[in-house]
């Protein structure tokens, strides 16, 4: 099972605040960077922390509000100037293509790498928007008023358990092609006898599911979408005191986010996207309101890294860049 | 004569570097903010330094490369969220309209203030692009390869000198309308005798001329455009060692910029837009190369404020935000 981290590059909501850039959360998986939103200033953080501009990279945009997308053009520009050669893929709601293309045309970006832009249409009918041999990414609609907004889930595929070499030899299975088939979960025939993969494989290795949400009112359907997720990154723009504002502007309070996390039975809840009006003591209050509902809640900070454990028995580790 | 300052909010060239944001220079005049370029991160600086989001504001864009314009959308978005009501004017090369409009449409900006976008066409025939009672702004073309790029000059109109009340009384000019006419530089008739304004006015108050350049090779015509300017803000992407790069990428070395300043006989030269490859010692070298040609040269830093004196006899003051 591969190393997996979530890095928060920007955790302020709508307007930047002291020490907090605009929305940008990066999942690092097997050396690949998966951006979930990319607010203005993302390139400053990527450069400062030497995260690498020529790595395999994808950008998933939850919705087309300025504070979630304006970092993309500058990141692409700097990637070009600093010699990126690898193609890059961008996923987002309808309109993302016009935004990136208008910018590229007007500023003569002309990068030496391909920018593949995928607009997400009919997410209810086609929730899986990307798939590799190791994971898939699926989307679910959220409720941010008139603005289409998504939650993304990165779901790892279950991997077969450890191959028991001694047992395979006992069963008289010759080393080579048949071992490979069994390791992939297939059955084989040896001397007319069928051997199932489970006869020689240990229990499947745990797969992980990470959910990243955009701006939203708390939505019931998200609890199902995020069911049993390893991590849920959810906005918490307001504390309970301002729940009317949360309703008015189609955002969530921390305790509303925690209620979803509890219902979904996620391992940990990571709160981000805080109103820039809040001072440290407000955020302490916001966190404690969430913890009253769901204890395993972490308040994201810029530069915070969450190292996801290989399996459920181990602890999440918090580090800083 | 009004207070006048130049504030550097971003001084890195092309790619941000440690401690240097992307190109953004602001002239503050009588409380009005005049931005010359607005690279990504400008809003962070404006917020951090509490420069005010509802002040009379204009943005002049030298050219449409990403590092000079990408701060505009985020600044407009934050202005809207924090309650701006005043209209804003943006000037720049053809294409600026498409960039701002595509952004505004896709992100549903819908601000409660008007964004007036003025694309500059035929600058040779119509160099004056904006005019008030107190100053005008004119443009001149630069040489940044295939990318249209401008220098802007903010030129204050000469103001009449101090009105000599005693002398006016001696000449028997009744207080009131006639005094006002004389103060405006007009002549009046008193008891059949013509009195010229110069009979009662001191020497005209000095007017100032500030020139702000975009990316460019050193161009001869700029020395004429910047003739006798109070300040010349010029790019100095490279030191002499990299003069071939300056030629290849249509930039200037510091000593090339200084040669223009010397020929134009400006009061001070302010260098900005430094290659992100340079460390402090490289920039010391770059500055000394410029000073060999033109002694009154200052190397801009992020957050540096240049206070422009009221008249030639006084010194420029350097402060920091």
């Amino acid at each position: 099972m591969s190393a997996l981290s979530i890095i928060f590059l920007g955790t302020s909501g709508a307007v930047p605040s002291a020490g907090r850039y605009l929305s940008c959360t990066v999942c690092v998986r097997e050396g690949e960077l998966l951006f979930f939103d990319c607010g203005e200033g993302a390139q400053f953080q990527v450069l400062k922390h030497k995260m690498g501009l020529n790595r395999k990279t994808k950008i998933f945009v939850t919705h087309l509000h300025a504070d979630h997308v304006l970092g993309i053009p500058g990141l692409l520009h700097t990637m070009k100037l600093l010699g990126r050669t690898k193609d890059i893929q961008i996923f987002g709601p309808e309109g993302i293509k016009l935004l990136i293309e208008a910018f590229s045309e007007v500023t003569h970006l002309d990068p030496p790498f391909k920018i593949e832009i995928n607009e997400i249409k009919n997410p209810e009918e086609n929730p899986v928007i990307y798939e590799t041999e190791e994971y898939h990414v699926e989307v679910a609609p959220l409720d941010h008023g008139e603005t289409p907004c998504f939650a993304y889930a990165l779901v790892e595929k279950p991997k077969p358990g450890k191959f028991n070499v001694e047992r395979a030899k006992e069963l008289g299975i010759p080393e080579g092609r048949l071992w490979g088939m069994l390791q992939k979960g297939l059955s084989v025939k040896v001397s007319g006898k069928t051997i199932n993969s489970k006869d020689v494989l240990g229990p499947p290795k745990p797969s992980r599911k990470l959910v990243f949400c955009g701006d939203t009112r708390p939505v019931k359907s998200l609890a199902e979408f995020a069911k049993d997720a390893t991590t849920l990154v959810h906005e918490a723009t307001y504390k309970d005191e301002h729940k009317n504002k949360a309703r008015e502007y189609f955002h969530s309070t921390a305790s509303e986010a925690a209620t979803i996390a509890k219902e979904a039975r996620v391992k940990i809840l990571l709160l981000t996207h805080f109103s820039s009006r809040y001072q440290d003591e407000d955020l302490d209050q916001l966190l404690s309101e969430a913890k009253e509902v769901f204890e395993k809640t972490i308040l994201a900070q810029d530069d915070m890294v969450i190292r996801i454990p290989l399996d459920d028995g181990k602890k999440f580790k918090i580090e800083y860049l």
Side-chain angles (χ1 to χ4, degrees), chain A residues 89-123:
Chain A
Q89 289 158 303
I90 301 173
F91 300 80
E94 284 190 75
I96 184 79
K97 211 172 160 73
L98 172 62
L99 191 73
I100 305 290
E101 288 181 353
F103 150 73
S104 302
E105 184 194 324
V106 172
T107 66
H108 298 98
L109 183 67
D110 303 325
F113 52 88
K114 200 177 146 197
I115 301 170
E116 190 189 307
I117 306 171
N118 305 275
E119 295 197 330
I120 297 166
K121 288 161 191 168
N122 305 319

Short mmCIF file of all heavy atoms in Angstrom, two decimals, chain A residues 89-123:
data_model
loop_
_atom_site.label_atom_id
_atom_site.label_comp_id
_atom_site.label_asym_id
_atom_site.label_seq_id
_atom_site.Cartn_x
_atom_site.Cartn_y
_atom_site.Cartn_z
N GLN A 89 -3.85 17.35 -16.02
CA GLN A 89 -5.30 17.19 -16.22
C GLN A 89 -6.06 18.03 -15.20
O GLN A 89 -5.70 18.06 -14.02
CB GLN A 89 -5.70 15.72 -16.06
CG GLN A 89 -5.22 14.88 -17.24
CD GLN A 89 -5.13 13.42 -16.87
OE1 GLN A 89 -4.43 13.06 -15.93
NE2 GLN A 89 -5.84 12.59 -17.61
N ILE A 90 -7.09 18.70 -15.69
CA ILE A 90 -7.91 19.54 -14.82
C ILE A 90 -9.36 19.10 -14.94
O ILE A 90 -9.86 18.91 -16.05
CB ILE A 90 -7.77 21.03 -15.22
CG1 ILE A 90 -6.31 21.48 -15.11
CG2 ILE A 90 -8.67 21.92 -14.35
CD1 ILE A 90 -6.04 22.87 -15.64
N PHE A 91 -10.03 18.92 -13.81
CA PHE A 91 -11.43 18.51 -13.78
C PHE A 91 -12.22 19.59 -13.04
O PHE A 91 -11.74 20.10 -12.03
CB PHE A 91 -11.60 17.18 -13.03
CG PHE A 91 -10.84 16.03 -13.63
CD1 PHE A 91 -9.48 15.88 -13.37
CD2 PHE A 91 -11.47 15.10 -14.44
CE1 PHE A 91 -8.77 14.81 -13.92
CE2 PHE A 91 -10.77 14.03 -14.99
CZ PHE A 91 -9.41 13.89 -14.73
N GLY A 92 -13.42 19.87 -13.53
CA GLY A 92 -14.23 20.86 -12.82
C GLY A 92 -15.58 21.04 -13.48
O GLY A 92 -15.88 20.42 -14.51
N PRO A 93 -16.41 21.91 -12.89
CA PRO A 93 -17.74 22.15 -13.46
C PRO A 93 -17.65 22.85 -14.82
O PRO A 93 -16.60 23.39 -15.18
CB PRO A 93 -18.40 23.09 -12.44
CG PRO A 93 -17.54 23.03 -11.22
CD PRO A 93 -16.17 22.69 -11.68
N GLU A 94 -18.75 22.83 -15.54
CA GLU A 94 -18.80 23.52 -16.83
C GLU A 94 -18.43 24.99 -16.64
O GLU A 94 -18.94 25.65 -15.74
CB GLU A 94 -20.21 23.41 -17.42
CG GLU A 94 -20.50 22.04 -18.00
CD GLU A 94 -21.81 22.01 -18.80
OE1 GLU A 94 -21.82 22.56 -19.93
OE2 GLU A 94 -22.78 21.46 -18.28
N GLY A 95 -17.52 25.48 -17.48
CA GLY A 95 -17.06 26.86 -17.39
C GLY A 95 -15.56 26.89 -17.13
O GLY A 95 -14.87 27.85 -17.50
N ILE A 96 -15.03 25.82 -16.56
CA ILE A 96 -13.60 25.78 -16.24
C ILE A 96 -12.77 25.86 -17.53
O ILE A 96 -11.70 26.48 -17.56
CB ILE A 96 -13.24 24.51 -15.42
CG1 ILE A 96 -11.77 24.48 -14.99
CG2 ILE A 96 -13.57 23.22 -16.14
CD1 ILE A 96 -11.47 25.32 -13.83
N LYS A 97 -13.32 25.28 -18.61
CA LYS A 97 -12.62 25.28 -19.90
C LYS A 97 -12.49 26.72 -20.43
O LYS A 97 -11.41 27.13 -20.84
CB LYS A 97 -13.44 24.43 -20.88
CG LYS A 97 -12.63 23.70 -21.93
CD LYS A 97 -13.55 22.74 -22.71
CE LYS A 97 -12.95 22.39 -24.03
NZ LYS A 97 -11.80 21.46 -23.92
N LEU A 98 -13.60 27.45 -20.37
CA LEU A 98 -13.58 28.84 -20.85
C LEU A 98 -12.57 29.66 -20.05
O LEU A 98 -11.80 30.45 -20.62
CB LEU A 98 -14.99 29.44 -20.74
CG LEU A 98 -15.12 30.95 -21.02
CD1 LEU A 98 -14.71 31.27 -22.46
CD2 LEU A 98 -16.55 31.43 -20.78
N LEU A 99 -12.57 29.47 -18.75
CA LEU A 99 -11.68 30.24 -17.88
C LEU A 99 -10.20 29.99 -18.22
O LEU A 99 -9.43 30.94 -18.43
CB LEU A 99 -11.94 29.86 -16.42
CG LEU A 99 -11.28 30.75 -15.37
CD1 LEU A 99 -11.98 32.09 -15.29
CD2 LEU A 99 -11.33 30.09 -13.98
N ILE A 100 -9.83 28.73 -18.32
CA ILE A 100 -8.43 28.38 -18.58
C ILE A 100 -8.05 28.78 -20.02
O ILE A 100 -6.95 29.27 -20.27
CB ILE A 100 -8.18 26.87 -18.37
CG1 ILE A 100 -8.62 26.42 -16.98
CG2 ILE A 100 -6.71 26.52 -18.61
CD1 ILE A 100 -7.80 26.90 -15.84
N GLU A 101 -8.97 28.55 -20.94
CA GLU A 101 -8.65 28.85 -22.33
C GLU A 101 -8.54 30.35 -22.58
O GLU A 101 -7.67 30.79 -23.33
CB GLU A 101 -9.67 28.19 -23.27
CG GLU A 101 -9.44 26.67 -23.31
CD GLU A 101 -10.39 25.92 -24.24
OE1 GLU A 101 -11.33 26.55 -24.78
OE2 GLU A 101 -10.20 24.71 -24.40
N ALA A 102 -9.42 31.14 -21.97
CA ALA A 102 -9.34 32.59 -22.14
C ALA A 102 -8.02 33.10 -21.58
O ALA A 102 -7.31 33.90 -22.21
CB ALA A 102 -10.52 33.28 -21.44
N PHE A 103 -7.66 32.63 -20.41
CA PHE A 103 -6.39 33.01 -19.81
C PHE A 103 -5.21 32.62 -20.70
O PHE A 103 -4.30 33.41 -20.95
CB PHE A 103 -6.25 32.38 -18.42
CG PHE A 103 -4.84 32.10 -18.03
CD1 PHE A 103 -3.99 33.15 -17.68
CD2 PHE A 103 -4.32 30.81 -18.08
CE1 PHE A 103 -2.66 32.89 -17.36
CE2 PHE A 103 -3.01 30.56 -17.76
CZ PHE A 103 -2.17 31.60 -17.40
N SER A 104 -5.23 31.37 -21.18
CA SER A 104 -4.11 30.86 -21.98
C SER A 104 -3.96 31.65 -23.28
O SER A 104 -2.85 31.96 -23.71
CB SER A 104 -4.32 29.38 -22.32
OG SER A 104 -4.46 28.63 -21.14
N GLU A 105 -5.11 31.99 -23.86
CA GLU A 105 -5.08 32.72 -25.14
C GLU A 105 -4.57 34.15 -24.93
O GLU A 105 -3.65 34.59 -25.60
CB GLU A 105 -6.51 32.75 -25.71
CG GLU A 105 -6.60 33.39 -27.09
CD GLU A 105 -8.05 33.71 -27.47
OE1 GLU A 105 -8.95 32.92 -27.11
OE2 GLU A 105 -8.27 34.77 -28.10
N VAL A 106 -5.16 34.84 -23.96
CA VAL A 106 -4.83 36.26 -23.77
C VAL A 106 -3.36 36.44 -23.34
O VAL A 106 -2.67 37.35 -23.78
CB VAL A 106 -5.78 36.91 -22.74
CG1 VAL A 106 -5.32 38.31 -22.38
CG2 VAL A 106 -7.20 36.94 -23.28
N THR A 107 -2.88 35.55 -22.48
CA THR A 107 -1.52 35.71 -21.97
C THR A 107 -0.49 34.93 -22.78
O THR A 107 0.68 34.88 -22.40
CB THR A 107 -1.41 35.25 -20.49
OG1 THR A 107 -1.63 33.83 -20.44
CG2 THR A 107 -2.43 35.94 -19.60
N HIS A 108 -0.95 34.35 -23.90
CA HIS A 108 -0.03 33.55 -24.75
C HIS A 108 0.75 32.53 -23.92
O HIS A 108 1.97 32.48 -23.97
CB HIS A 108 0.94 34.47 -25.49
CG HIS A 108 0.23 35.41 -26.41
ND1 HIS A 108 -0.05 36.70 -26.07
CD2 HIS A 108 -0.30 35.23 -27.63
CE1 HIS A 108 -0.72 37.29 -27.06
NE2 HIS A 108 -0.88 36.43 -28.01
N LEU A 109 0.02 31.70 -23.20
CA LEU A 109 0.69 30.72 -22.34
C LEU A 109 1.52 29.72 -23.14
O LEU A 109 2.69 29.50 -22.83
CB LEU A 109 -0.37 29.97 -21.49
CG LEU A 109 0.19 28.95 -20.49
CD1 LEU A 109 0.99 29.65 -19.39
CD2 LEU A 109 -0.92 28.11 -19.86
N ASP A 110 0.93 29.14 -24.19
CA ASP A 110 1.62 28.19 -25.07
C ASP A 110 2.59 27.27 -24.32
O ASP A 110 3.80 27.30 -24.58
CB ASP A 110 2.41 28.96 -26.16
CG ASP A 110 1.52 29.87 -26.97
OD1 ASP A 110 0.37 29.52 -27.21
OD2 ASP A 110 1.99 30.96 -27.34
N PRO A 111 2.09 26.43 -23.43
CA PRO A 111 3.02 25.58 -22.67
C PRO A 111 3.51 24.40 -23.52
O PRO A 111 2.82 23.97 -24.45
CB PRO A 111 2.14 25.07 -21.53
CG PRO A 111 0.77 25.04 -22.09
CD PRO A 111 0.68 26.16 -23.10
N PRO A 112 4.69 23.87 -23.18
CA PRO A 112 5.20 22.71 -23.91
C PRO A 112 4.60 21.40 -23.40
O PRO A 112 5.10 20.35 -23.72
CB PRO A 112 6.71 22.77 -23.63
CG PRO A 112 6.81 23.42 -22.31
CD PRO A 112 5.62 24.34 -22.16
N PHE A 113 3.58 21.50 -22.57
CA PHE A 113 2.87 20.31 -22.11
C PHE A 113 1.39 20.49 -22.40
O PHE A 113 0.92 21.62 -22.60
CB PHE A 113 3.10 20.07 -20.61
CG PHE A 113 2.82 21.26 -19.73
CD1 PHE A 113 1.54 21.49 -19.22
CD2 PHE A 113 3.83 22.18 -19.41
CE1 PHE A 113 1.28 22.59 -18.42
CE2 PHE A 113 3.57 23.29 -18.61
CZ PHE A 113 2.29 23.50 -18.12
N LYS A 114 0.67 19.36 -22.42
CA LYS A 114 -0.76 19.42 -22.76
C LYS A 114 -1.58 19.70 -21.49
O LYS A 114 -1.31 19.13 -20.44
CB LYS A 114 -1.16 18.06 -23.36
CG LYS A 114 -2.43 18.12 -24.18
CD LYS A 114 -2.73 16.77 -24.82
CE LYS A 114 -4.23 16.56 -24.88
NZ LYS A 114 -4.60 15.17 -25.10
N ILE A 115 -2.56 20.58 -21.63
CA ILE A 115 -3.49 20.82 -20.52
C ILE A 115 -4.83 20.21 -20.94
O ILE A 115 -5.48 20.69 -21.86
CB ILE A 115 -3.66 22.33 -20.26
CG1 ILE A 115 -2.31 22.98 -19.93
CG2 ILE A 115 -4.65 22.56 -19.13
CD1 ILE A 115 -2.35 24.51 -19.91
N GLU A 116 -5.18 19.12 -20.29
CA GLU A 116 -6.42 18.42 -20.65
C GLU A 116 -7.50 18.86 -19.67
O GLU A 116 -7.37 18.64 -18.45
CB GLU A 116 -6.15 16.92 -20.53
CG GLU A 116 -7.26 16.05 -21.08
CD GLU A 116 -7.01 14.58 -20.73
OE1 GLU A 116 -5.91 14.08 -21.02
OE2 GLU A 116 -7.92 13.98 -20.13
N ILE A 117 -8.52 19.51 -20.18
CA ILE A 117 -9.58 20.03 -19.30
C ILE A 117 -10.84 19.18 -19.45
O ILE A 117 -11.35 19.02 -20.55
CB ILE A 117 -9.89 21.51 -19.61
CG1 ILE A 117 -8.59 22.33 -19.56
CG2 ILE A 117 -10.93 22.06 -18.63
CD1 ILE A 117 -8.74 23.75 -20.05
N ASN A 118 -11.32 18.64 -18.35
CA ASN A 118 -12.49 17.77 -18.37
C ASN A 118 -13.64 18.43 -17.60
O ASN A 118 -13.56 18.56 -16.38
CB ASN A 118 -12.16 16.43 -17.69
CG ASN A 118 -10.96 15.76 -18.32
OD1 ASN A 118 -11.08 15.07 -19.30
ND2 ASN A 118 -9.78 16.00 -17.75
N GLU A 119 -14.66 18.84 -18.32
CA GLU A 119 -15.82 19.41 -17.63
C GLU A 119 -16.76 18.29 -17.21
O GLU A 119 -17.04 17.38 -17.98
CB GLU A 119 -16.53 20.40 -18.55
CG GLU A 119 -15.65 21.61 -18.88
CD GLU A 119 -16.42 22.78 -19.44
OE1 GLU A 119 -17.45 22.56 -20.10
OE2 GLU A 119 -15.98 23.92 -19.21
N ILE A 120 -17.20 18.35 -15.98
CA ILE A 120 -18.02 17.28 -15.42
C ILE A 120 -19.49 17.54 -15.74
O ILE A 120 -20.05 18.57 -15.37
CB ILE A 120 -17.81 17.19 -13.89
CG1 ILE A 120 -16.35 16.82 -13.62
CG2 ILE A 120 -18.75 16.16 -13.27
CD1 ILE A 120 -15.92 17.03 -12.19
N LYS A 121 -20.07 16.59 -16.48
CA LYS A 121 -21.48 16.74 -16.85
C LYS A 121 -22.25 15.53 -16.30
O LYS A 121 -21.71 14.43 -16.26
CB LYS A 121 -21.62 16.82 -18.36
CG LYS A 121 -21.10 18.17 -18.89
CD LYS A 121 -20.77 18.12 -20.37
CE LYS A 121 -20.01 19.41 -20.74
NZ LYS A 121 -19.39 19.37 -22.05
N ASN A 122 -23.48 15.73 -15.92
CA ASN A 122 -24.32 14.64 -15.39
C ASN A 122 -23.62 13.80 -14.33
O ASN A 122 -23.49 12.57 -14.48
CB ASN A 122 -24.78 13.70 -16.53
CG ASN A 122 -25.47 14.45 -17.63
OD1 ASN A 122 -26.25 15.36 -17.35
ND2 ASN A 122 -25.16 14.11 -18.86
N PRO A 123 -23.15 14.40 -13.26
CA PRO A 123 -22.43 13.61 -12.25
C PRO A 123 -23.30 12.51 -11.62
O PRO A 123 -22.77 11.50 -11.19
CB PRO A 123 -22.02 14.65 -11.21
CG PRO A 123 -22.92 15.81 -11.43
CD PRO A 123 -23.26 15.81 -12.88
#
